[in-house]
């Protein structure tokens, strides 16, 4: 009979294979609510599974990345973006001998709190909530895993380990309130948290560029002239593979562009880690600056790419106009539920007794997918049939 591999054996493998500055799962600071440890998974592997099985994770499939959800079959959603971030995070963590499971889990959870309609949806909710604590999607991700998910009989939320929650908090450390800063005092968090944070940036701009080309809103020739990182990747693809069909060439350019960034982050970060002479995961937390970062040259190229995308993609009328109309609907829904609070979901009504109606309404709306929000708007404001399934 085959012997099952236990958590203790997995923890022993971590001690043998990971760097001394990696966050070992056996050294977790634990969970808010004590639970028996898993039998055949590490603590971070359990966390990863809890994130994947959450309602908030499933709803990411129906939320905007750049293009309004449903615009095109091949364009990314918030879920596909999240999976790509997780893949990049694992690659960088593996190269640096960090804890892949922790980096992946933080990456998978980092956008759970994103509202419908992308960053424009976040902007309008923050404006509507300015007198009630504001809205920021990274803090909302933390709120979801700590309170809003209702899957377990003995506690609210997913009861994730402190290290995963730290990674979510440190995604936007300047947005934390006093209590959160007290619980997560290290601005940059673990190296695994830093990896997930930078993997998000690599995936975000590289794949938005891909979607911009796929939708014909971006022009390859213009990119070659104006974006140094794209030209570098295109030159490398041509030198290695010669002339390729259009679709294949674009795919390989984006693949090469991501690889250039991942290699740069891995090699640059390895040098910073060596210079810092880290002996433990907490040594990384104590550093005054993040150690996972681009080289100055690649950072400059990345900023150039970002500026180009803002000018030519994010504010392109094809992208901007539908999203702007959608977020106006989101604002009208917020005001509707302020007048009719009894119409929000049952769990949201219960939360209102603790957090107040504005926060409960904000939780309710931010959990909606794009499609549900549009259908709910038509139902509430124009008397159309209700959506098939209500969020909580």
């Amino acid at each position: 009979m085959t012997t099952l591999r236990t958590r203790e054996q997995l923890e022993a493998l971590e001690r043998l294979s990971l760097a001394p500055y990696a966050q070992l799962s056996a050294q977790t600071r634990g969970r808010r609510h004590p639970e028996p440890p898993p039998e055949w998974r590490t603590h971070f592997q359990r966390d990863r599974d809890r994130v994947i099985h959450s309602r908030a994770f499933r709803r990411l499939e129906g939320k905007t990345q750049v293009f309004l959800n449903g615009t095109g079959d091949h364009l990314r959603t918030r879920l596909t973006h999240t999976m790509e971030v997780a893949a990049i995070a694992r690659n960088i963590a593996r190269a640096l001998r960090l804890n892949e499971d922790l980096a992946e889990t933080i990456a998978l959870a980092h956008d759970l709190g994103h509202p419908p309609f992308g960053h424009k949806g976040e902007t309008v909710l923050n404006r509507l909530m300015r007198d009630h604590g504001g809205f920021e999607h990274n803090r909302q991700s933390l709120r979801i895993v700590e309170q809003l998910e209702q899957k377990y009989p003995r506690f609210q939320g997913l009861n994730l380990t402190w290290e995963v929650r730290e990674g979510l908090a440190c995604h936007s450390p300047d947005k934390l309130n006093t209590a959160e800063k007290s619980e997560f005092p290290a601005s940059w968090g673990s190296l695994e948290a830093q990896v997930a944070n930078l993997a998000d940036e690599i995936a975000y701009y590289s794949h938005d560029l891909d979607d911009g080309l796929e939708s014909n809103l971006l022009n390859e020739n213009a990119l070659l002239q104006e974006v140094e990182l794209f030209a570098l990747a295109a030159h490398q693809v041509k030198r290695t593979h010669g002339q390729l069909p259009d679709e294949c060439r674009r795919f390989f350019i984006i693949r090469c562009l991501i690889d250039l960034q991942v290699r740069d982050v891995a090699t640059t970060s390895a040098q910073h880690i060596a210079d810092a002479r880290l002996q433990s995961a907490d040594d990384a937390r104590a550093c005054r600056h993040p150690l996972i970062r681009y080289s100055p040259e690649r950072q400059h190229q990345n900023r150039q790419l970002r500026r180009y995308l803002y000018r030519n993609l994010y504010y392109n009328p094809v992208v901007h106009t539908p999203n702007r109309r959608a977020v106006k609907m989101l604002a009208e829904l917020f005001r509707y539920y302020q007048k009719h609070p009894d119409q929000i979901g049952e769990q949201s009504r219960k939360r209102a007794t603790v957090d107040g109606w504005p926060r409960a309404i904000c939780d309710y709306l931010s959990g909606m997918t794009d499609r549900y929000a549009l259908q709910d708007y038509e139902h509430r404001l124009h008397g159309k049939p209700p959506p098939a399934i209500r969020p909580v």
Side-chain angles (χ1 to χ4, degrees):
M1 180 178 177
T2 301
T3 302
L4 298 174
R5 178 177 281 177
T6 65
R7 172 182 51 80
E8 291 86 353
Q9 289 173 320
L10 291 170
E11 290 171 348
L13 287 173
E14 284 187 355
R15 288 191 292 271
L16 287 172
S17 61
L18 299 185
Y21 43 78
Q23 176 62 61
L24 300 179
S25 59
Q27 294 176 359
T28 176
R29 299 188 193 185
R31 306 174 189 273
R32 282 186 171 175
H33 307 279
E35 296 184 70
E39 292 183 75
W40 305 320
R41 297 174 293 176
T42 68
H43 294 286
F44 300 147
Q45 289 169 350
R46 170 186 270 180
D47 286 350
R48 178 189 59 206
D49 295 344
R50 287 185 175 184
V51 169
I52 289 173
H53 290 294
S54 68
R55 275 179 164 175
F57 186 79
R58 292 196 295 276
R59 286 199 292 259
L60 294 176
E61 182 181 9
K63 295 191 177 188
T64 291
Q65 174 64 16
V66 172
F67 294 85
L68 198 66
N69 185 246
T71 302
D73 288 347
H74 300 152
L75 302 175
R76 286 167 175 83
T77 66
R78 191 62 58 177
L79 178 62
T80 52
H81 162 71
T82 294
M83 294 169 68
E84 289 164 341
V85 174
I88 292 171
R90 285 196 74 101
N91 287 339
I92 297 173
R94 186 183 304 118
L96 294 171
R97 294 172 58 212
L98 298 174
N99 195 313
E100 294 178 46
D101 294 324
L102 176 56
E104 180 187 26
T105 303
I106 296 168
L108 289 170
H110 84 282
D111 265 355
L112 291 179
H114 235 296
F117 315 130
H119 287 284
K120 294 180 177 63
E122 179 175 16
T123 299
V124 74
L125 285 180
N126 185 47
R127 176 172 55 81
L128 292 164
M129 291 293 292
R130 64 174 175 263
D131 295 329
H132 309 283
F135 178 86
E136 199 277 329
H137 80 272
N138 291 305
R139 288 187 64 203
Q140 188 70 8
S141 297
L142 196 61
R143 181 169 169 79
I144 284 170
V145 302
E146 291 182 342
Q147 299 181 46
L148 301 188
E149 283 285 329
Q150 300 288 325
K151 297 177 70 70
Y152 300 96
R154 294 193 298 106
F155 49 78
Q156 293 182 324
L158 302 179
N159 199 31
L160 304 183
T161 57
W162 182 88
E163 289 76 16
V164 173
R165 294 189 297 113
E166 177 200 42
L168 299 181
C170 292
H171 210 64
S172 292
D174 57 318
K175 304 293 185 181
L176 301 182
N177 61 32
T178 302
E180 290 162 344
K181 288 179 180 177
S182 177
E183 185 173 8
F184 308 110
S187 294
W188 316 112
S190 64
L191 292 177
E192 288 83 359
Q194 295 175 38
V195 164
N197 196 13
L198 205 51
D200 180 32
E201 184 174 329
I202 292 172
Y204 197 98
Y205 296 117
S206 302
H207 291 134
D208 290 355
L209 174 59
D210 191 21
D211 282 352
L213 288 167
E214 174 78 21
S215 63
N216 293 317
L217 295 184
L218 297 181
N219 180 276
E220 198 171 329
N221 289 328
L223 282 162
L224 288 170
Q225 297 297 318
E226 299 185 48
V227 179
E228 185 179 351
L229 188 57
F230 185 88
L232 188 65
H235 176 71
Q236 186 168 314
V237 168
K238 186 174 182 180
R239 186 179 65 235
T240 305
H241 300 285
Q243 295 295 329
L244 295 172
D246 289 350
E247 184 177 359
C248 184
R249 183 184 64 254
R250 286 197 300 268
F251 170 81
F252 266 88
I253 290 173
I254 299 300
R255 178 179 179 271
C256 180
L257 188 145
I258 293 171
D259 187 61
L260 287 169
Q261 294 177 86
V262 168
R263 285 176 179 272
D264 180 84
V265 168
T267 54
T268 302
S269 302
Q271 187 60 57
H272 288 310
I273 290 169
D275 292 343
R277 301 180 183 275
L278 303 181
Q279 297 301 312
S280 70
D282 282 342
D283 284 351
R285 292 184 173 95
C287 289
R288 296 180 61 185
H289 304 285
L291 299 177
I292 307 298
R293 55 185 193 258
Y294 297 108
S295 66
E297 179 185 10
R298 196 68 78 224
Q299 179 72 54
H300 168 75
Q301 293 170 341
N302 206 270
R303 287 173 178 167
Q304 183 189 56
L305 170 60
R306 179 170 58 185
R307 289 193 296 269
Y308 185 89
L309 289 172
Y310 271 96
R311 286 197 311 270
N312 297 282
L313 181 63
Y314 301 143
Y315 289 107
N316 187 300
V318 174
V319 173
H320 187 60
T321 302
N323 285 342
R324 187 172 57 186
R325 285 199 301 265
V327 298
K328 287 179 66 176
M329 295 179 190
L330 195 63
E332 290 186 49
L333 271 178
F334 188 94
R335 289 188 281 270
Y336 172 88
Y337 283 118
Q338 283 184 306
K339 295 178 181 177
H340 305 89
D342 59 308
Q343 298 297 306
I344 66 173
E346 180 182 357
Q347 288 186 23
S348 298
R349 293 198 299 274
K350 290 179 180 177
R351 287 196 296 272
T353 63
V354 178
D355 300 321
W357 283 110
R359 181 59 60 187
I361 293 168
C362 183
D363 287 340
Y364 187 62
L365 293 178
S366 67
M368 291 181 176
T369 61
D370 295 5
R371 181 178 63 252
Y372 188 94
L374 293 171
Q375 290 176 346
D376 197 47
Y377 171 83
E378 292 295 332
H379 170 58
R380 302 296 182 187
L381 280 301
H382 297 288
K384 298 291 180 66
I389 300 175
R390 292 175 61 91
V392 294

